């Protein structure tokens, strides 16, 4: 143990099984530093000596067996694992305890340095999760990827249709008389825009999820597998009632899982930008913000549990419009929407 004079903080240097481990003890108190050093040594002692030479490839294989979530997400993570096993030199025999943070950084830089931040972060997440699992299994004491930072993602303003464009798109899809799925596709696209749902969420709704009397729909957020309720908004009431007509309790509202092709073709015919099904969700959120709906409420409608932080970050370009409208109410005169209360005689 040694002390760094400028800050007075204590640091530990412990050699275990031939490898030197360093750790900042986060204190300038000698007695507390000694207790933290003892805990650090105990952590080292508790690593499983029988797995001390486990290879990085073996740990990745074990991690691959624990993957959960959507099939596409699991496929993407397994693709990264395959890339690691194919390009990391000596990965089949390299003991996990010998891997250094610089090696992880070098691999990411070589194979994802010219890719977007999203690709880089996905690869780092897989590596981190696999190494964290090894830490929990007492194979290694600490993860060499724990201190690596995610790449900062750009925040582009993605194209979003106006409500009028959305209505024109729905009408155009339904007018394709020679398309057998025209009505179903039009209903699906309309539901995405009027309810503010994602494609997978809308596709999974059953008649039993819709409570017309209570005016709500139970939705399963596919990313988190968490259910949440949304109101049947006035703009969506009539379409939702029509979708429920004649449906059995356990029957899905839609027979299709997505209407991407119908949306793409409609945009081409109308001369619109290539809006996606996600664009319709953005339209719903943008419109809600511009109409003055509280961001926390919008977040609840989206199944978010962050109080609206994600929406505030993502839709920061919309907030000034709402802010300016609210600022106009801060006058020294009574706003027009205030009804004076007269004294009772």
């Amino acid at each position: 143990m040694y002390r760094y004079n400028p800050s007075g903080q204590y640091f530990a240097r412990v050699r275990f099984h031939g490898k030197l481990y360093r750790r900042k003890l986060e204190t300038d108190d000698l007695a507390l530093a000694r207790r933290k050093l003892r805990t650090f040594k105990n952590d080292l002692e508790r690593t499983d000596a029988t797995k001390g030479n486990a290879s990085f490839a073996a740990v990745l294989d074990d991690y691959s067996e624990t993957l959960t979530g959507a099939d596409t997400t699991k496929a993407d993570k397994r693709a990264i694992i395959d890339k690691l096993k194919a390009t990391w030199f000596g990965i089949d025999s390299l003991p996990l305890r010998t891997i250094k943070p610089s090696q992880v950084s070098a691999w990411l830089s070589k194979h994802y340095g010219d890719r977007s931040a999203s690709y880089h972060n996905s690869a780092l997440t897989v590596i981190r999760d696999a190494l964290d699992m090894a830490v929990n299994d007492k194979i290694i004491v600490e993860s060499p990827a724990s201190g690596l930072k995610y790449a900062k993602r750009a925040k582009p303003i993605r194209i979003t249709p106006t409500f009028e464009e959305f209505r024109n798109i729905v009408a155009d899809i339904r007018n394709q008389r020679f398309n057998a799925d025209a009505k179903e596709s039009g209903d699906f696209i309309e539901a995405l825009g009027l309810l503010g749902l994602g494609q997978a969420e809308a596709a999974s709704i059953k008649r039993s999820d819709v409570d017309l009397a209570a005016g709500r729909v139970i939705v399963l957020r596919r990313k988190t597998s968490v259910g949440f309720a949304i109101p049947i908004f006035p703009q969506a009431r009539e379409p939702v009632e029509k979708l429920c007509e004649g449906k059995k309790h356990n029957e899905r509202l839609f027979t299709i899982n997505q209407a991407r092709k119908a949306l793409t073709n409609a945009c081409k015919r109308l001369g619109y930008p290539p809006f996606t099904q996600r664009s319709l969700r953005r339209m719903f959120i943008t419109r809600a913000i511009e109409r003055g709906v509280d961001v926390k409420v919008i977040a609840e409608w989206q199944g978010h549990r962050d109080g609206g932080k994600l929406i505030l970050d993502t839709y920061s370009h919309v907030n000034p419009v709402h802010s300016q409208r609210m600022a106009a109410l801060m006058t020294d005169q009574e706003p027009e929407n205030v009804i004076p209360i007269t004294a009772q005689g």
Side-chain angles (χ1 to χ4, degrees):
M1 186 171 66
Y2 66 94
R3 187 178 189 183
Y4 183 58
N5 285 333
S7 65
Q9 296 284 308
Y10 285 96
F11 292 77
R13 295 174 74 251
V14 180
R15 189 170 294 278
F16 182 73
H17 287 196
K19 182 176 179 180
L20 183 63
Y21 293 90
R22 297 180 178 87
R23 176 173 292 183
K24 184 178 180 181
L25 299 178
E26 304 286 353
T27 182
D28 57 3
D29 181 84
L30 179 58
L32 180 57
R34 284 174 174 167
R35 290 197 295 272
K36 288 193 171 186
L37 175 60
R38 193 180 310 117
T39 300
F40 182 35
K41 289 181 176 179
N42 290 339
D43 288 342
L44 290 170
E45 294 290 344
R46 280 196 293 268
T47 55
D48 191 341
T50 63
K51 298 180 180 179
N53 290 321
S55 69
F56 192 11
V59 168
L60 288 171
D61 287 338
D62 291 341
Y63 168 68
S64 180
E65 296 300 319
T66 68
L67 295 178
T68 58
D71 290 340
T72 53
T73 300
K74 291 188 288 187
D76 290 343
K77 289 184 177 182
R78 289 198 173 103
I80 295 171
I81 291 172
D82 291 341
K83 190 176 187 71
L84 277 163
K85 293 171 69 175
T87 59
W88 191 300
F89 179 74
I91 196 170
D92 291 321
S93 57
L94 181 68
L96 198 61
R97 57 183 172 78
T98 65
I99 295 178
K100 300 176 182 178
S102 59
Q103 292 175 296
V104 180
S105 294
W107 186 87
L108 286 169
S109 178
K110 180 178 180 180
H111 297 282
Y112 290 89
D114 58 348
R115 307 291 293 274
S116 69
S118 178
Y119 281 102
H120 174 277
N121 293 344
S122 296
L124 177 54
T125 295
V126 167
I127 295 172
R128 269 189 164 180
D129 289 349
L131 295 176
D132 285 345
M133 189 181 77
V135 172
N136 292 333
D137 289 343
K138 303 298 181 183
I139 297 175
I140 53 177
V141 178
E142 55 190 5
S143 166
S146 61
L148 301 183
K149 296 182 179 180
Y150 288 105
K152 191 172 183 179
R153 299 178 64 174
K155 294 182 179 179
I157 298 176
R158 295 180 174 87
I159 55 172
T160 305
T162 64
F163 196 67
E164 182 181 0
E165 288 173 333
F166 161 68
R167 286 298 197 190
N168 291 340
I169 288 170
V170 172
D172 182 83
I173 293 173
R174 286 178 173 154
N175 285 337
Q176 303 309 305
R177 292 176 297 172
F178 298 106
N179 182 354
D181 295 326
K183 182 182 182 305
E184 189 77 6
S185 297
D187 289 346
F188 191 86
I189 292 298
E190 184 178 46
L192 297 186
L194 295 183
L195 293 172
L197 296 176
Q199 162 259 318
E201 294 159 357
S204 65
I205 296 176
K206 298 179 180 179
R207 175 63 184 86
S208 57
D209 297 323
V210 183
D211 188 336
L212 293 174
R216 67 180 183 184
V217 181
I218 302 299
V219 181
L220 178 66
R221 184 162 176 77
R222 308 304 297 183
K223 284 185 178 180
T224 58
S225 297
V226 174
F228 62 100
I230 62 169
I232 300 177
F233 309 105
Q235 63 182 17
R237 182 79 193 192
E238 184 178 346
V240 169
E241 288 178 345
K242 288 182 178 179
L243 286 169
C244 290
E245 288 178 0
K247 296 287 195 314
K248 296 179 180 179
H249 180 75
N250 209 37
E251 189 175 352
R252 285 172 47 187
L253 292 192
F254 302 101
T255 58
I256 60 176
N257 292 322
Q258 51 88 16
R260 176 172 48 83
K261 186 175 180 180
L263 175 58
T264 299
N265 290 337
C267 289
K268 288 180 180 178
R269 287 190 295 268
L270 294 169
Y272 290 164
F275 298 125
T276 66
Q277 293 174 116
R278 288 187 179 184
S279 301
L280 304 180
R281 190 174 208 161
R282 288 197 297 273
M283 178 205 70
F284 175 91
I285 295 174
T286 300
R287 190 163 176 260
I289 293 173
E290 291 176 343
R291 283 177 164 252
V293 180
D294 184 78
V295 173
K296 185 177 180 181
V297 174
I298 300 173
E300 292 173 355
W301 292 347
Q302 295 298 303
H304 298 173
R305 296 189 173 186
D306 60 359
K309 183 180 182 303
L310 178 60
I311 289 176
L312 285 172
D313 291 344
T314 307
Y315 294 85
S316 58
H317 61 287
V318 182
N319 290 337
V321 176
H322 177 52
S323 178
Q324 290 165 10
R325 186 183 296 116
M326 296 300 101
L329 300 177
M330 301 304 295
T331 174
D332 57 358
Q333 300 175 350
E334 289 290 351
E336 294 180 0
N337 62 346
V338 173
I339 300 175
I341 300 176
T342 59
Q344 298 294 323

